[in-house]
Amino acid sequence: SISDSPAARTTNRACLLPDEPDILAMTSAYPTIGGETAGARVLPSTTRFGCPTGYDPRVWQARVDLAACYHLCNAFDFNEGICNHLTVLVPGTNDRFLCIPYGLMWDEVTASNLLLLDGSGQVLEGEGAIDATAFFIHKHIHDAGAVCVLHTHQPHASAICCVKEFKLHMCHQNCLRFFDEIAYDPLFNGLVLDSNEGKRLAGLMGTKRVLLHRNHGIIVQGKSVAEAFDDVYYLERACQVQILAQSTGNELSIVSDAVALKFKQDCAADHGMENWANLHFAALKRKLARCPKGSIFNT
């Protein structure tokens, strides 16, 4: 069974240096949600690839996948300090999701230290609080039906958000997978700290897989962690290629809408993109498991 014993509650603090502050015990003026909640269950850290006894294996797998996604985004330099946030719906629910506790580096995330929250922001499992912007952005996109929501400030995609033209052009094969799949938000209102702004972003995104938010960063939604991560990965590559091509000073060579649409349809046929995403993500998780630091994701 899931333990809430004092011994279990020390799991995430085991690696603190003698003079190192305990972030889970700190308070901050930065807006967070959920940290004041008492009585939330705390999962013990487990042996590798081990689901805690009595815990729903579907939820554990979601925890493992999201923790791996944090480590991979860290490895690819998609994160920004302790900011940005990645979430996934708890399997079997439509109003509960997993998220990083605010204050952890992304390579410190494990399956067992992710927070499980409900739609009101109450922490049901785990220790700590989440960034308030994570709650208000992700909650409303999950409410609209997204299983996985990834928000990053990855450098090349964010750079596209900082120029007046503000557009990913269909100039390279990697760009074509996003043909007619990007919503553009030209309005930057600062930190997302209320439901009105969260609902505005979710409404603007609609069913598009990607939202580019001017002066800010990106949001990607997907049917699984694997598919959302695949889009984050290839979006960054597409933006990088566009920026490199534009840096030559030459005009971009744009693929026609007809060819771009046919390319996207061919990739999606027979669940092609879904299968590729699953294979890509599984391969990257195997690579993580071989790394001394990255292998903690599944504990």
Side-chain angles (χ1 to χ4, degrees), residues 59-223:
V59 181
W60 182 253
Q61 187 61 56
R63 285 178 168 276
V64 168
D65 286 347
L66 187 61
C69 191
Y70 274 103
H71 280 262
L72 291 170
C73 286
N74 179 75
F76 286 114
D77 197 28
F78 295 165
N79 64 327
E80 191 161 64
I82 58 170
C83 299
N84 304 167
H85 12 83
L86 322 174
T87 61
V88 66
L89 277 181
V90 174
T93 77
N94 58 15
D95 63 347
R96 297 182 176 187
F97 60 90
L98 299 167
C99 188
I100 189 174
Y102 185 66
L104 288 184
M105 296 297 291
W106 285 17
D107 63 357
E108 295 179 301
V109 175
T110 67
S112 57
N113 69 19
L114 288 164
L115 300 181
L116 191 157
L117 298 96
D118 66 14
S120 69
Q122 181 179 2
V123 175
L124 304 179
E125 292 178 358
E127 291 183 288
I130 73 164
D131 181 340
T133 64
F135 178 77
F136 288 114
I137 292 173
H138 293 245
K139 166 186 162 50
H140 296 291
I141 299 175
H142 283 306
D143 284 350
V147 173
C148 183
V149 180
L150 310 181
H151 168 55
T152 75
H153 297 172
Q154 55 201 62
H156 294 95
S158 295
I160 296 293
C161 297
C162 295
V163 295
K164 286 188 176 181
E165 188 182 33
F166 185 41
K167 183 177 181 180
L168 179 68
H169 292 282
M170 298 298 106
C171 62
H172 182 264
Q173 178 171 290
N174 284 341
C175 306
L176 304 186
R177 64 184 285 147
F178 301 108
F179 178 74
D180 199 29
E181 291 289 350
I182 300 177
Y184 295 89
D185 182 7
L187 185 62
F188 177 64
N189 289 322
L191 294 175
V192 182
L193 295 177
D194 60 59
S195 287
N196 288 336
E197 183 66 0
K199 289 177 181 178
R200 187 187 73 82
L201 291 172
L204 189 61
M205 191 170 194
T207 60
K208 305 287 190 184
R209 302 201 317 264
V210 176
L211 174 70
L212 295 185
H213 190 193
R214 190 188 289 279
N215 306 120
H216 188 185
I218 69 160
I219 302 173
V220 168
Q221 62 177 338
K223 295 180 294 183

Side-chain angles (χ1 to χ4, degrees), residues 218-263:
I218 69 160
I219 302 173
V220 168
Q221 62 177 338
K223 295 180 294 183
S224 68
V225 176
E227 290 181 69
F229 173 79
D230 214 47
D231 274 346
V232 163
Y233 176 87
Y234 280 104
L235 178 64
E236 181 68 0
R237 300 287 288 187
C239 291
Q240 182 180 23
V241 166
Q242 177 174 313
I243 290 170
L244 287 172
Q246 289 176 317
S247 72
T248 67
N250 293 311
E251 185 178 357
L252 293 175
S253 175
I254 305 299
V255 177
S256 71
D257 287 356
V259 171
L261 177 61
K262 182 64 165 56
F263 177 90

